[in-house]
Amino acid sequence: MKVKDQLIGLTPYQPGKPIEEVQRELGLEKIVKLASNENPFGCSEKAKEAIKESLDELALYPDGYARNIREKLANFLGVKENQLIFGNGSDELIDILCTALLSPSKNTVMAHPSFSQYSHNAIIQGAELRMVDNINGEHDLEGMLNAIDDQTAIVWVCSPNNPTGTYINEEKLINFIKRVPEHVLIVIDEAYKEYVVAEDYPDTISLLNEYPNLLVLRTFSKAYGLAALRVGYGIGHPNLIQALDPARGPFNTSRIAQAAVCAAVDDQEFIQKCVKANREGLEQFYQFCEEYGLSYFPSQANFILIDFKRSGQEVFDYLLHKGFIVRSGTALGYPTAVRITVGSYEQNAELIETLKEMLSVN
Ligand SMILES: *Cc1c(COP(=O)(O)O)cnc(C)c1O
């Protein structure tokens, strides 16, 4: 038996440490996880109700076409039903895109540091990676354009970018899209779109008719607080969606997830509340950073990357022993930083107090 060469030495995705594991290892009672950009307020109560109502149908396969969420979202977004593709999280859509478009003779262009799954899945398909270093935490769009050639199959744009939280404004994005050759698929990962408040954030859906080589990715795992259920979606030109669909598993979103998502879309009041609390939470962190002279990237997402000018792993370990799970910047390409998910007001305040103690000691 022999796995593909490219799988040898490739490590699986390194998620934020699970709460249970830290509890077991450190014997701590209270643990706050601000590591995976999950919603600290959970999800809509309406989504939970919808799940209860779906429990009598567990013996039945879900609708593979996901007609209920398809209709719901097409309406909500103002697109046609055949412009949507659903995935078991947008992670699965990234996998589907790589399966459908990449092979050893192709290359794929992405920003670095950015979301790790673009490179991970591209490596599995044997494609050449072309990573273009960020400038000041932002995509170097000019550099990315220069990296594109005849063999480029996908260019990945993450906005707001994980792990920096920076975004690409409308003018810059449109100028970029215009200059990407037609044979290249442009993927715009908008996993944190709901949290964005910047007025010049682009309405990418309005560009889909003009640019059939554009695919927008979104998810229910972040602001909607449904990470456990694994639902993400892509929005694109009907021809593109039709071309990708055979690479999708037949029942890749569950019945329970479909029921919850339908109800969650209807509860925009919940999202608005979370977005407001998130902005207030970011302000707590900004204020702390200003007070202590720490640099950070202004964030349009629900996390902040703070540069502590010392080993991010050390900061991570310190916080872990105090009961806070964050993400060390070491694995994210910013070794002197940590990425912190914005929590509730109290969680942020407690974490900031702990950080102040750490900085006062050394
Ligand atoms: C969290 C995240 C995803 C994955 O979300 P799922 O839908 O849970 O798979 C995709 N892209 C980015 C940038 C993310 O941060």
Side-chain angles (χ1 to χ4, degrees), residues 254-299:
S254 77
R255 190 175 276 280
I256 294 177
Q258 291 173 5
V261 160
C262 275
V265 173
D266 279 339
D267 194 355
Q268 289 300 314
E269 207 178 305
F270 172 78
I271 300 294
Q272 290 318 313
K273 270 191 223 157
C274 296
V275 171
K276 183 163 176 286
N278 183 61
R279 285 326 299 182
E280 290 165 1
L282 279 169
E283 289 301 328
Q284 288 174 273
F285 284 103
Y286 290 169
Q287 207 180 343
F288 160 68
C289 290
E290 305 293 345
E291 201 180 317
Y292 282 76
L294 300 168
S295 56
Y296 62 93
F297 297 117
S299 175

Side-chain angles (χ1 to χ4, degrees), residues 89-91 115 118 158 162 189 191-192 219 221-222 230-231:
S90 42
D91 279 341
F115 190 52
Y118 316 142
C158 189
N162 182 0
D189 188 343
Y192 300 95
T219 179
S221 300
K222 305 286 159 64
R230 317 300 305 121
V231 184

Side-chain angles (χ1 to χ4, degrees), residues 33 39 117 133 188 200 239 280 297 313 320:
K33 185 179 177 216
N39 189 333
Q117 291 306 287
D133 283 344
I188 307 189
D200 58 355
N239 293 347
E280 290 165 1
F297 297 117
Q313 192 61 36
L320 192 65

